[in-house]
Amino acid sequence: SSPTTSVAVTATTVKPVVTTTTVPVPVAPKVSSGESGALVDGKVVSTSLSRESNRFKIEAAGVTAIISGQSSNGALIALDEDGSLRLNNGDKILVEGAGYSIGAKVQVWMYSTPTRLGTLTADSQGEVAGSFEMPSGIEPGEHRVTLLGTNLAGKEVAIGLGIEFGKVDSGSTITRLLISIPIALAVLFGLFLPAVSRRR
């Protein structure tokens, strides 16, 4: 048998392309920040999600997608306290994928306003890698990054990850504290009451 040659995947930076009427907008999984979802030929399927070294690893229908963020100085962005990826202006989205059919065109999209960030081509190993600049004019809040491509079985697989964009809203932090303090006091009171009853 002839020897095999491994092909290194070259990561490329792609500027986002705003969708036009000539580019159909694919249906993307509906997920919240820090969650993943997948569709196979438009039907919901289960996914496996893990966090490894500030990267999200998502597996579904034979496809593996790894998504992370890169700051303007080239450093990998750490996940926030909720385990979500939060990006800001000047940051990039890093994606890696495996399990695609050879030569498959893997589109990378961002929602909620559908924006095609770019397209990657799977190599002879069925792998892709690239980095994408954040679209201009994006609103703060929850968004979704979606990879859309054909797996080895010839099925169209859309894998999505919920992310955050913009600074943390201080108001939401205060709201969380106002909610959590009464709950904590109620728990402490519940623990203290039986002790007092036993003493009596």
Side-chain angles (χ1 to χ4, degrees), residues 83-168:
S84 299
L85 176 61
R86 182 177 294 276
L87 302 175
N88 288 287
N89 288 321
D91 294 339
K92 293 180 180 178
I93 298 172
L94 307 182
V95 301
E96 299 175 52
Y100 294 104
S101 59
I102 298 174
K105 301 297 183 182
V106 180
Q107 300 179 44
V108 181
W109 288 76
M110 187 162 183
Y111 299 77
S112 53
T113 300
T115 303
R116 187 179 59 170
L117 302 182
T119 303
L120 302 171
T121 303
D123 64 11
S124 60
Q125 307 298 316
E127 300 177 351
V128 296
S131 63
F132 303 88
E133 296 179 359
M134 293 296 291
S136 60
I138 184 172
E139 295 292 332
E142 291 191 359
H143 297 271
R144 293 170 286 159
V145 177
T146 300
L147 278 69
L148 178 70
T150 305
N151 66 6
L152 295 174
K155 303 288 187 180
E156 187 178 69
V157 181
I159 292 180
L161 173 70
I163 67 169
E164 295 275 356
F165 180 80
K167 302 287 186 183
V168 177

Side-chain angles (χ1 to χ4, degrees), residues 10 24 29 39-41 62 76 89 107 117 122 124 133 188 196 200:
T10 303
L39 303 174
V40 175
D41 287 344
L76 199 65
N89 288 321
Q107 300 179 44
L117 302 182
S124 60
E133 296 179 359
L188 289 174
V196 173
R200 291 178 179 178

